[in-house]
Amino acid sequence: MQEQATVLLTRDADGIATLTLNRPEKYNAFTKEMIILWSRLLAQCEEDPAVKVIVLTGAGKAFCSGGDIGAQKERAKNDALERKDFLFRHVHRIPRLMAQLDKPVIAAINGAARGAGLDMALMCDLRVMAESATLAESYINVGLIAGDGGTYYLPRLIGIPRALELFWTGRVIGAAEAERIGMVCRAVPDAELLPATYELARSIAAQPFEAVRAYKRSVYQGMSMSLDAHLDMVSAHTSILRDTPEHRAKVDAFLQRKKR
């Protein structure tokens, strides 16, 4: 019997691809093999011109509980360089690929997101969270720090003091607080999680695609640029976008409406 894939990829006619972490019996804790498949499917989504928006969610009761504890215990037998190399060659593939993607990625947080599982959600551009779901930067509970980029993403989302408080305490927070402090865009009743996520995804997918991509590049690149460099970059994006068929069609439609 063929083993079930630990990450599932589906696509729909609206240009939305869904990646589902698929180890529900292990609360979607990821293994080396899962990371390899996950990164391969992300690359497929980036290369597929039909994909305009990517949704990431978890199967079963959890979004992702982080790294598989059994596998981590085995890696503890390795020396420090081998453990660092595992992060560099495998776990770090995900944040690097996410940084290269110029397509919107939305996390639909359906359940608990812990440690690296939370950090994987933080790597997404937008987050929609079920009211019963919970988040925690749980590394401190085992005497570790986030080794996958959590210390990069979380302070940028909620500020340094709030991020340090969550890192230092490992405190579990619910959907209402996560929305209030800006960790997620919106918290919704559990039954509305996927409908709300796909409504958001479809609304973005329906926009002029090249402009959506340019916005993502401009926002993220602009966070590490001077104002002058940023203005120079966005003037180039704007000039290029004026040549796109989508822009011209939108302008023509606007002018036709004005004539009525």
Side-chain angles (χ1 to χ4, degrees):
M1 183 181 294
Q2 187 175 5
E3 187 177 350
Q4 190 173 21
T6 54
V7 185
L8 303 176
L9 171 61
T10 57
R11 301 176 181 87
D12 71 14
D14 295 318
I16 300 164
T18 301
L19 289 173
T20 304
L21 308 180
N22 191 40
R23 294 185 76 212
E25 74 285 357
K26 296 290 187 181
Y27 301 103
N28 301 316
F30 59 78
T31 61
K32 174 182 173 181
E33 291 72 25
M34 191 172 176
I35 287 287
I36 292 171
L37 178 57
W38 191 347
S39 58
R40 186 184 305 146
L41 294 177
L42 276 173
Q44 284 183 24
C45 291
E46 170 64 8
E47 293 164 6
D48 186 348
V51 173
K52 297 181 178 180
V53 179
I54 301 163
V55 171
L56 175 65
T57 194
K61 297 179 179 179
F63 176 77
C64 179
S65 60
D68 185 275
I69 296 297
Q72 289 181 31
K73 192 170 182 180
E74 280 300 307
R75 284 195 298 276
K77 300 173 184 177
N78 298 337
D79 63 32
L81 182 58
E82 289 170 324
R83 292 192 293 270
K84 177 178 171 59
D85 197 52
F86 171 80
L87 287 171
F88 180 79
R89 294 187 180 277
H90 300 292
V91 176
H92 292 172
R93 285 185 181 186
I94 303 299
R96 288 198 190 97
L97 279 167
M98 296 286 255
Q100 292 167 13
L101 275 169
D102 60 1
K103 300 177 180 182
V105 185
I106 307 172
I109 305 174
N110 57 298
R114 298 286 187 271
L118 169 55
D119 294 342
M120 295 298 180
L122 298 179
M123 294 169 197
C124 298
D125 303 303
L126 306 175
R127 283 156 293 283
V128 182
M129 184 174 176
E131 285 181 344
S132 68
T134 55
L135 312 176
E137 285 288 359
S138 52
Y139 293 95
I140 197 72
N141 297 331
V142 290
L144 293 175
I145 69 166
D148 58 348
T151 48
Y152 178 89
Y153 293 100
L154 190 58
R156 285 168 167 77
L157 276 176
I158 65 173
I160 291 173
R162 278 185 171 141
L164 283 173
E165 189 257 335
L166 293 179
F167 286 133
W168 283 336
T169 65
R171 182 168 65 84
V172 176
I173 68 170
E177 181 179 1
E179 182 180 37
R180 177 176 59 80
I181 66 176
M183 284 181 75
V184 301
C185 301
R186 62 183 77 164
V188 299
D190 290 18
E192 296 177 21
L193 176 67
L194 290 180
T197 301
Y198 286 116
E199 181 183 6
L200 175 60
R202 279 191 292 271
S203 70
I204 297 170
Q207 300 290 2
F209 184 52
E210 294 305 327
V212 170
R213 297 173 70 194
Y215 259 127
K216 181 165 179 176
R217 294 179 185 179
S218 298
V219 168
Y220 285 114
Q221 293 175 20
M223 293 183 72
S224 59
M225 299 172 75
S226 68
L227 175 61
D228 284 342
H230 183 76
L231 293 175
D232 189 53
M233 176 184 70
V234 295
S235 66
H237 283 319
T238 300
S239 298
I240 292 168
L241 289 170
R242 289 189 183 279
D243 286 335
T244 61
E246 291 174 313
H247 167 69
R248 289 172 178 169
K250 290 285 187 181
V251 171
D252 288 344
F254 175 78
L255 293 175
Q256 289 299 321
R257 287 196 299 272
K258 283 194 71 175
K259 290 178 181 178
R260 292 171 190 167

